[in-house]
Amino acid sequence: ITIGAQVSDLDITTAGSDQESVAYGITYAVNDDMSVGYSYHELETETAGDEDQETTGLSASYTMGGMTLAGAMNDSDNMGGTAATDREGYEFTLSFAF
């Protein structure tokens, strides 16, 4: 198991422009060939009317010899602090090592 966390506080001299960020993730190696992971990130600004941006992600990978099949699914809410501006993203990869 691998666990990571990060907390950031950005102080900007312009009033109402500070940002706070919290992120964490966990990855679990099911066996030598397969791993799964989860991540979360939240960005909060002091800008009036901004919503907190929240992003979550799930990932998995499977390796067999020199071949790796991996996938990730991410979901972001309130992109750029704008309410109901939500995005989803998917990624699938197949790689070969010789």
Side-chain angles (χ1 to χ4, degrees):
I1 294 178
T2 302
I3 299 172
Q6 177 181 349
V7 176
S8 300
D9 189 3
L10 178 61
D11 293 322
I12 300 174
T13 55
T14 305
S17 298
D18 294 351
Q19 297 179 352
E20 294 180 5
S21 173
V22 175
Y24 59 84
I26 184 169
T27 303
Y28 175 66
V30 177
N31 54 40
D32 288 342
D33 300 323
M34 185 172 187
S35 64
V36 293
Y38 172 79
S39 62
Y40 175 82
H41 177 249
E42 181 177 348
L43 176 64
E44 179 182 342
T45 66
E46 286 186 339
T47 304
D50 272 6
E51 297 289 328
D52 293 351
Q53 179 176 314
E54 295 181 2
T55 303
T56 57
L58 296 172
S59 62
S61 68
Y62 180 77
T63 302
M64 181 173 34
M67 181 185 78
T68 301
L69 177 63
M73 181 174 57
N74 295 292
D75 181 39
S76 296
D77 296 331
N78 305 323
M79 292 291 295
T82 305
T85 304
D86 303 337
R87 300 286 187 267
E88 293 180 352
Y90 304 92
E91 177 181 0
F92 296 98
T93 61
L94 176 62
S95 59
F96 297 92
F98 296 98

